[in-house]
C-alpha cells in the first residue's frame, strides 16, 4: 500500500527521523493560513500517489504571501498521471548544501533487506543504477538486526555517503531509525530522496516515500486508516472485502478465473484471439458459492462488459460449488450478457450436470472459451 | 530418483487439525504420500485420519522420523510455524499458506538457510512426484509419471500445463510450485540444478509470470550451465503496469519485468517460449 509523503513524514517524526516542519492543505485558503506559522519561502508539494510530481508542475517554491493561494490553487487543480491532486503539503524551503539518496527495501533479487545509497541525491535511482551502477551503495541486513541496527554496521556505509564524520554519524542515526520504522511497521520500502544537509550542517529528510506490505496490514490497523480512498477504485475495494482479487481493465470481456496465474494466462489468451479483457478477477482458492455471486456482481457493474468468460480449473476449488454459485447468481440478478464457461477439475461432472439446461455456452478448453468469448465480445 | 521428494519421503503436516490441513492430509494419504503425523500446538495426543497429532515439530520429528514438513496454518501464525520447523531435523519445509507478511517470510528464510533446510513456497501449491509422493494441494489425478520436470510460480496455471502434458502423453518427473510471493524459499535458479542432476528428468518446463527477474536470472543460468533443455511460459502479457495481479509478487515495476520483456530475454538465452498454454506440450515434444 502506498501512503502520501505527509503521512510518511508523520511516521518519520514518530520514529525520530529529522524532517522539515509542515502541514497539508486541501484548499488555497488553508494553504495561505499555514504560511503564517511556516513562514516564507515555502514549498508547495502535490500529495499524489505517482512519481514525477516535480516534472508535472506539482512542486513549487513560493517566496511571496500573495503567490501562496494561487500556487496552491493551481496545484490542487492538477491531475498528475490520471490522479487528481486533493492535498498539498506546505513546508519551509531550506538551503541545500548537499543532497544524497538513501533507502531501505526488500530486495527480491538478493532475497534480503538492503539499504541503498547514492552520494548523488535527487536523482532517479533506477536510472543511475543502470547508467552508473558503481555509484550505488548497498548494505545487506538481516531481518533480525533491523530493530536495533548496530552502529558499527551502518557507519562504513554512511561514510561513503558523507565524507564528513559528523554528517556520517547523523546519517547512522537516521539509518538506525529507518530500520526500526521498516521492521515495526512492516514496510516494503522507506525512501528518502533527497536526504540533505542544510546550512546548519544538519542532515534532514526532505522527501519521504513509504510502501507498506499489504500482507502485514492485518497487524497495523492504524496504517490501514492511511489509505487514500480517493486513489482507490471502490469496486476493487469492495471485491477485496469479499475475498476476490479484482482489477478493472479497458476491454469488454468480463473474466472470472480461479488462481492468479491462470487469470493472467486467461486474459493473455483472450487477447491472443482478438478480444480485450474487461478485468482481472481471481475468485481465490476456496470454493464458496457466495464468492461467485460477488464476482458476478462486481463484473456486471461495468457497463462495457458484453460477455463473461468463466475459466475454472478445480483443485481446492470444486466445480460443483462454482456451478451452485453461478445458478444462485442467475437467480439473484439479471444477467443480460452471454456467459461462456469452461469448467474442469475437481467434481467437474457434478458441476457440469448442475449447469445443464441453462443458457451457458460451454467450452472444453481455455482456447475454445477465449475464442468464443472474443467472437461475442468483439475485437474492440 | 526424482527431485526433492519420492516414495520414501516422510511428511509431517503443520496445522493438521485445521480445515485445509485436515482435508489435504486425507488427499495426500489417498495419493499414497507417507504422511506420518501432524502438529497443532495444544492438540498433542489427538488423532486425525489415524495419524498422531503432536504439540511441536521437534517432538513430532523425534517420534515419527519425518524428514519433510508442510504448513497449512493461517498467515498470522505461519512465521511461528516456520521457525518451529527450523528447530527440528527436517530437510525440506513446504509452506502452502498465502498472505504471509513478507518480513516474516524473509526472517524464516534466513533461519532456514542457516540450518540448511530447503524451503519451498510460501503461497504455493506444493510439489509432487507423480505416482510416488504428493505434498500440497494440487489435484493428483492430472499428473502422470514421466520425464518432464515442471517449476512454476503459479498454482492453477500449472495444473493447466500439467494436464496438457499428461494429455499429450508427456509424464512428469517432479512438479514444483515455487509460489507467487516476492520472497520465496526456492527460486527457479535454486531448483534447476536439481533437475539437471536428476536422471529421471529429460526436460524442464519453467512457468513464470510478471514481476521480478527470477525467470531471466534462471534463463541465463540455463544457457551457461545446463545441458537439459528448458521450455518457458510467462503469464501476464496483458497485465497493466503497477498493479498487483493477485499474487503478491506479480507486479510490473518497470520495463524489465513485463511478460513481453521476459519472453524476449528467455528467447535471447535460447529458451523456446510457449505463447499459449496449448503450445507447451508441442514445444516439449519438439525439443525431446
Amino acid at each position: 500500500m502506498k501512503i502520501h509523503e505527509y503521512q510518511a513524514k508523520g511516521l518519520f517524526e514518530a520514529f525520530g527521523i529529522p524532517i522539515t516542519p509542515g502541514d497539508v492543505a486541501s484548499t488555497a485558503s488553508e494553504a495561505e493560513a499555514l504560511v503564517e506559522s511556516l513562514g516564507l519561502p515555502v514549498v508547495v508539494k502535490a500529495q499524489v500517489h505517482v512519481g514525477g510530481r516535480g516534472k508535472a508542475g506539482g512542486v513549487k517554491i513560493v517566496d511571496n504571501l500573495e503567490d501562496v493561494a494561487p500556487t496552491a490553487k493551481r496545484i490542487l487543480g492538477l491531475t498528475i498521471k490520471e490522479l487528481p491532486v486533493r492535498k498539498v503539503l506546505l513546508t519551509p524551503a531550506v538551503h541545500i548544501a548537499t543532497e544524497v539518496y538513501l533507502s531501505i527495501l526488500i530486495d527480491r533479487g538478493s532475497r534480503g533487506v538492503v539499504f541503498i545509497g547514492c552520494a548523488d541525491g535527487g536523482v532517479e535511482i533506477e536510472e543511475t543504477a543502470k547508467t552508473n551502477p558503481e555509484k550505488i551503495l548497498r548494505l545487506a541486513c538481516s531481518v533480525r538486526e533491523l530493530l536495533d541496527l548496530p552502529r558499527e554496521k551502518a557507519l562504513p556505509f554512511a561514510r561513503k555517503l558523507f565524507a564528513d564524520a559528523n554528517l556520517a554519524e547523523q546519517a547512522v542515526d537516521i539509518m538506525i531509525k529507518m530500520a526500526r520504522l521498516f521492521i515495526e511497521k512492516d514496510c516494503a520500502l522507506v525512501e528518502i530522496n533527497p536526504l540533505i544537509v542544510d546550512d546548519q550542517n544538519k542532515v534532514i529528510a526532505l522527501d519521504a516515500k513509504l510502501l507498506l506490505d499489504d500482507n502485514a496490514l492485518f497487524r497495523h490497523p492504524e496504517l490501514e486508516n492511511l489509505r487514500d480512498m480517493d486513489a482507490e477504485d471502490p469496486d476493487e475495494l469492495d471485491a477485496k472485502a469479499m475475498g476476490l482479487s479484482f482489477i478493472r481493465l479497458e476491454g469488454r470481456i468480463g473474466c472470472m478465473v480461479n488462481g492468479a496465474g491462470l487469470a493472467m494466462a486467461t486474459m493473455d489468451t483472450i487477447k491472443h484471439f482478438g478480444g480485450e479483457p474487461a478485468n482481472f478477477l481471481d475468485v481465490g482458492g476456496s470454493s464458496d458459492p457466495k464468492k461467485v455471486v460477488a464476482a458476478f456482481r462486481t463484473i456486471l457493474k461495468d457497463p462495457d462488459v458484453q460477455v463473461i468468460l468463466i475459466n475454472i480449473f478445480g483443485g481446492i476449488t470444486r466445480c460443483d460449488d462454482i456451478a451452485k454459485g453461478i445458478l444462485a447468481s442467475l437467480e439473484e440478478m439479471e444477467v443480460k450478457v452471454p456467459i461462456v464457461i469452461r469448467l474442469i477439475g475437481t467434481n467437474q461432472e457434478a458441476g457440469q450436470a448442475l449447469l445443464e439446461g441453462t443458457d451457458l455456452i460451454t467450452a472444453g478448453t481455455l482456447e475454445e472459451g477465449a475464442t468464443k468469448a472474443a467472437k461475442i465480445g468483439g475485437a474492440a | 530418483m526424482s527431485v526433492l521428494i519420492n516414495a520414501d519421503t516422510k511428511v509431517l503436516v503443520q496445522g493438521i487439525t485445521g480445515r485445509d490441513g485436515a482435508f489435504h492430509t486425507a488427499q495426500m494419504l489417498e495419493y499414497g504420500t507417507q504422511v506420518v503425523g501432524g502438529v497443532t500446538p495444544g492438540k498433542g495426543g489427538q488423532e486425525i485420519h489415524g495419524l498422531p497429532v503432536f504439540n511441536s515439530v521437534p517432538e513430532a520429528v523425534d517420534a515419527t522420523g519425518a524428514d519433510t514438513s508442510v504448513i497449512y496454518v493461517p498467515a498470522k501464525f505461519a512465521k511461528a510455524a516456520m521457525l518451529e520447523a527450523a528447530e527440528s531435523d527436517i530437510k525440506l519445509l513446504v509452506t502452502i499458506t498465502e498472505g504471509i507478511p513478507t518480513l516474516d517470510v524473509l526472517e524464516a528464510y534466513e533461519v532456514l538457510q542457516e540450518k540448511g533446510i530447503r524451503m519451498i513456497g510460501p503461497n504455493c501449491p506444493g510439489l509432487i512426484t507423480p505416482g510416488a509422493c504428493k505434498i500440497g494441494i494440487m489435484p493428483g489425478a492430472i499428473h502422470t509419471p514421466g520425464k518432464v520436470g515442471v517449476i512454476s510460480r503459479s498454482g492453477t496455471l500449472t495444473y493447466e500445463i500439467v494436464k496438457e502434458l499428461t494429455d499429450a502423453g508427456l509424464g512428469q518427473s517432479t512438479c514444483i510450485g515455487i509460489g507467487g510471493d516476492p520472497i520465496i524459499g526456492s527460486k527457479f535458479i535454486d531448483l534447476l540444478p536439481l533437475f539437471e542432476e536428476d536422471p529421471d528428468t529429460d526436460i524442464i518446463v519453467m512457468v513464470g509470470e510478471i514481476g521480478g527477474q527470477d525467470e531471466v536470472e534462471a534463463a541465463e543460468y540455463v544457457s551457461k550451465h545446463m545441458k537439459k533443455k528448458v521450455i518457458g511460459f510467462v503469464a501476464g502479457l496483458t497485465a497493466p503496469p503497477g498493479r498487483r495481479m493477485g499474487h503478491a509478487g506479480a507486479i510490473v515495476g518497470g520495463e524489465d519485468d513485463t511478460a513481453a520483456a521476459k519472453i524476449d530475454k528467455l528467447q535471447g538465452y535460447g529458451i523456446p517460449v510457449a505463447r499459449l498454454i496449448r503450445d507447451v506440450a508441442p514445444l516439449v515434444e519438439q525439443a525431446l
Side-chain angles (χ1 to χ4, degrees), chain A residues 37-180:
Chain A
S37 56
L38 295 172
L40 286 163
V42 74
V43 190
V44 185
K45 305 172 88 174
Q47 299 298 289
V48 64
H49 286 322
V50 288
R53 288 177 303 177
K55 280 181 202 149
V59 180
K60 292 286 174 202
I61 298 179
V62 183
D63 298 309
N64 309 303
L65 186 59
E66 54 268 31
D67 291 338
V68 173
T71 305
K73 191 176 174 201
R74 198 166 39 74
I75 295 178
L76 284 164
L78 288 176
T79 297
I80 304 176
K81 292 179 190 164
E82 291 180 20
L83 285 174
V85 179
R86 307 214 189 250
K87 284 193 171 86
V88 286
L89 171 66
L90 279 85
T91 181
V94 290
H95 176 80
I96 300 173
T98 312
E99 53 183 339
V100 304
Y101 173 95
L102 178 62
S103 68
I104 176 169
L105 52 88
I106 291 172
D107 182 40
R108 291 174 75 152
S110 65
R111 260 178 296 193
V113 174
V114 288
F115 275 101
I116 304 284
C118 180
D120 300 341
V123 295
E124 291 280 343
I125 196 73
E126 288 90 356
E127 205 45 47
T128 308
K130 273 183 197 149
T131 52
N132 298 88
E134 73 287 350
K135 287 191 171 178
I136 303 287
L137 308 171
R138 292 173 62 94
L139 177 68
C141 299
S142 156
V143 176
R144 288 161 286 166
E145 62 188 354
L146 294 178
L147 203 53
D148 203 2
L149 190 72
R151 290 195 79 82
E152 63 276 15
K153 173 153 187 161
L155 188 59
F157 180 91
R159 287 300 292 265
K160 284 183 207 150
L161 281 180
F162 297 107
D164 178 270
N166 172 274
L167 296 177
E169 288 294 338
Q170 291 184 55
V172 168
D173 284 335
I174 290 172
M175 288 171 71
I176 290 169
K177 289 164 179 165
M178 281 171 86
R180 196 169 295 153

Side-chain angles (χ1 to χ4, degrees), chain A residues 219-236:
Chain A
R219 57 188 175 203
H220 304 290
E222 79 287 2
L223 297 177
E224 180 60 54
N225 296 334
L226 299 181
R227 190 183 291 277
D228 181 353
M229 294 314 234
D230 289 334
E232 305 275 349
D233 181 324
D235 292 344
E236 292 185 8

Side-chain angles (χ1 to χ4, degrees), chain B residues 6-29:
Chain B
N6 54 46
D8 298 326
T9 304
K10 289 192 171 68
V11 183
L12 209 60
V13 177
Q14 289 178 253
I16 193 166
T17 55
R19 197 178 59 99
D20 289 341
F23 176 77
H24 290 290
T25 300
Q27 299 275 303
M28 289 189 282
L29 286 167

Side-chain angles (χ1 to χ4, degrees), chain B residues 203-224:
Chain B
I203 188 167
I204 300 116
V205 175
M206 178 166 90
V207 184
E209 61 190 27
I210 56 166
Q213 286 298 303
D214 292 357
E215 294 84 355
V216 177
E217 173 191 70
E220 187 181 359
Y221 178 86
V222 170
S223 73
K224 286 186 179 156

